[in-house]
């Protein structure tokens, strides 16, 4: 891959509000903060097509900002930015928490 811009076609969803990403082989995981969503994408060999293969949306993700994969578990940082942060008023119940999500 050169230094040029690579464009990918998304099939089955979008990456609106995409924040944290993890790439392993031809699989991409993304957190979408404002929608409390984690998506998993299958990438073509040349990375020009990404097909959404799974998604999980849950309020308990609390505006997820990043993720990391370990074995078959996805660990997601819940920012609570909507509670006293840049996306809303109030006070967070805890500064940050890590949520473990299986099956994504």
């Amino acid at each position: 891959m050169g230094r040029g811009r690579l464009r990918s076609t998304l099939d089955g969803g979008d990456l609106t509000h995409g924040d944290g990403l993890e790439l392993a082989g031809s699989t991409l995981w993304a957190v979408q903060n404002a929608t409390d969503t984690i998506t998993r994408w299958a990438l073509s060999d040349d990375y020009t097509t990404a097909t959404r293969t799974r998604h999980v949306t849950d309020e308990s993700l609390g505006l997820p900002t990043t993720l990391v994969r370990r074995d078959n578990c996805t660990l997601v940082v819940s920012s609570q930015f909507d509670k006293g942060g840049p996306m809303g008023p109030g006070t967070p119940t805890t500064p940050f928490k890590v949520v473990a999500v299986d099956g994504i």
Side-chain angles (χ1 to χ4, degrees):
M1 232 186 260
R3 295 173 57 93
R5 195 177 273 188
L6 178 66
R7 293 188 183 258
S8 294
T9 301
L10 302 178
D11 183 24
D14 63 49
L15 285 168
T16 303
H17 306 293
D19 205 342
L21 303 171
E22 172 134 349
L23 178 64
S26 62
T27 303
L28 175 71
W29 290 266
V31 293
Q32 293 169 263
N33 56 29
T35 60
D36 296 323
T37 301
I38 305 168
T39 53
R40 182 178 68 208
W41 301 82
L43 304 176
S44 62
D45 290 340
D46 62 0
Y47 299 101
T48 59
T49 303
T51 303
R52 189 172 78 173
T53 58
R54 181 107 165 82
H55 75 280
V56 172
T57 300
D58 192 309
E59 286 181 12
S60 69
L61 293 173
L63 276 119
T65 58
T66 193
L67 63 93
V68 65
R69 296 270 308 154
R70 289 296 174 256
D71 299 319
N72 289 323
C73 185
T74 304
L75 302 172
V76 180
V77 175
S78 170
S79 71
Q80 299 185 57
F81 285 161
D82 59 334
K83 299 176 181 166
M87 298 177 81
T91 303
T93 55
T94 57
F96 292 92
K97 64 182 175 177
V98 176
V99 179
V101 181
D102 291 320
I104 186 74

